[in-house]
């Protein structure tokens, strides 16, 4: 395990973020606070994930002592529209049809907060979908139930495996945590062996 000088708290219920952080070698605990995820209508899409990640971290500000709080938020953007988590199968299907045969952006915002300071940044990946058939979309929604995923898909799931011929940027950003950027942000807290 990578040793840090302060305890790391991942403020996310996302099993994918937890898996990525664990596989990168970090020891952490998970603690989540309900946070209002509203943002100003006029805010450019590229700023939304960092804004929300910071909002999630600030929920811990009052009780922050000697810990590092790590938060993240991921959005999918196509035609300047933000595709959030779908409410149901109908909305998921509409989102996937909108992404089918096109390029879109996945933007993940990250916040690393300590008592001493805050780092807040975004990482962007361009994702290219091939044309998806109605049968593939239906099968995916029925078997993977992507209702907890922005844009109604997980790059690591069936639809990502068969429907994404290429991407520009980090696979892990699309999964929800740009591990390379998180690693860099946490480096000042690495214990010298």
């Amino acid at each position: 395990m990578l040793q840090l000088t302060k305890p790391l708290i991942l403020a996310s219920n996302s099993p994918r973020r937890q898996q990525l952080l664990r596989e990168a070698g970090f020891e952490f605990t998970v603690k989540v606070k309900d946070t209002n995820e509203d943002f100003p209508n006029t805010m450019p899409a590229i700023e939304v994930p960092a804004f929300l990640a910071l909002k999630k971290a600030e929920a811990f500000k009052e009780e922050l002592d000697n810990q590092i709080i790590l938060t993240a938020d991921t959005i999918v953007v196509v035609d300047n529209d933000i595709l959030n988590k779908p409410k149901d199968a109908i909305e998921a299907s509409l989102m996937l049809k909108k992404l089918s045969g096109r390029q879109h952006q996945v933007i993940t915002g990250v916040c690393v907060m300590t008592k001493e300071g805050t780092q807040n940044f975004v990482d962007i990946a361009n994702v290219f979908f091939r044309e998806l058939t109605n049968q593939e979309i239906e099968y995916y929604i029925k078997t993977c139930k992507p209702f907890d995923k922005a844009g109604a898909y997980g790059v690591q799931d069936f639809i990502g495996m068969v429907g994404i011929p290429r991407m520009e940027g980090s696979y892990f950003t699309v999964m929800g945590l740009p591990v390379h950027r998180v690693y860099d942000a946490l480096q000042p807290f690495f214990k010298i062996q």
Side-chain angles (χ1 to χ4, degrees), residues 17 111 134-135 138 145 180-181:
R17 289 191 183 113
C111 185
N134 288 337
Q135 290 83 1
E138 284 173 32
K145 302 186 180 3
H180 64 294
R181 299 284 307 273

Side-chain angles (χ1 to χ4, degrees), residues 1-189:
M1 284 288 171
L2 296 167
Q3 297 293 307
L4 299 175
T5 56
K6 298 171 180 272
L8 177 62
I9 296 172
L10 174 65
S12 174
N13 275 325
S14 163
R16 289 160 299 282
R17 289 191 183 113
Q18 293 171 25
Q19 172 197 351
L20 290 176
L21 203 56
R22 197 173 300 108
E23 288 177 1
F26 289 100
E27 204 171 294
F28 60 94
T29 55
V30 174
K31 191 173 180 183
V32 181
K33 290 188 177 226
D34 280 336
T35 310
N36 176 326
E37 294 192 23
D38 291 343
F39 54 88
N41 293 352
T42 55
M43 181 175 280
I46 194 167
E47 294 175 16
V48 170
F51 175 83
L52 293 176
L54 179 61
K55 215 174 181 185
K56 292 174 184 177
E58 284 178 338
F60 290 86
K61 211 167 191 166
E62 294 301 309
E63 63 196 62
L64 201 53
D65 186 23
N66 186 40
Q67 311 92 335
I68 304 165
I69 302 291
L70 173 62
T71 59
D73 194 86
T74 301
I75 62 169
V76 170
V77 180
V78 63
D79 297 332
N80 290 321
D81 284 339
I82 296 174
L83 304 185
N84 289 311
K85 297 170 185 172
K87 291 190 290 286
D88 53 31
I90 293 166
E91 196 171 49
S93 178
L94 290 172
M95 285 182 185
L96 290 169
K97 285 174 182 170
K98 188 170 189 169
L99 296 172
S100 177
R102 308 190 53 206
Q103 175 192 341
H104 64 275
Q105 285 189 314
V106 177
I107 307 170
T108 295
V110 175
C111 185
V112 175
M113 181 181 280
T114 64
K115 211 172 188 174
E116 295 76 39
T118 301
Q119 294 180 67
N120 199 211
F121 55 87
V122 297
D123 201 68
I124 302 170
N126 293 309
V127 180
F128 300 82
F129 260 112
R130 69 163 174 74
E131 289 284 344
L132 301 170
T133 67
N134 288 337
Q135 290 83 1
E136 287 167 339
I137 290 171
E138 284 173 32
Y139 170 78
Y140 176 63
I141 293 169
K142 191 182 288 184
T143 58
C144 294
K145 302 186 180 3
F147 309 116
D148 65 335
K149 297 173 174 72
Y153 81 91
V155 67
Q156 71 282 2
D157 295 340
F158 165 80
I159 211 84
M161 293 177 194
V162 304
I164 298 174
R166 71 185 180 98
M167 66 176 68
E168 296 164 357
S170 171
Y171 174 84
F172 302 109
T173 294
V174 182
M175 255 182 100
L177 194 69
V179 179
H180 64 294
R181 299 284 307 273
V182 171
Y183 182 86
D184 289 347
L186 291 175
Q187 271 197 315
F189 306 104

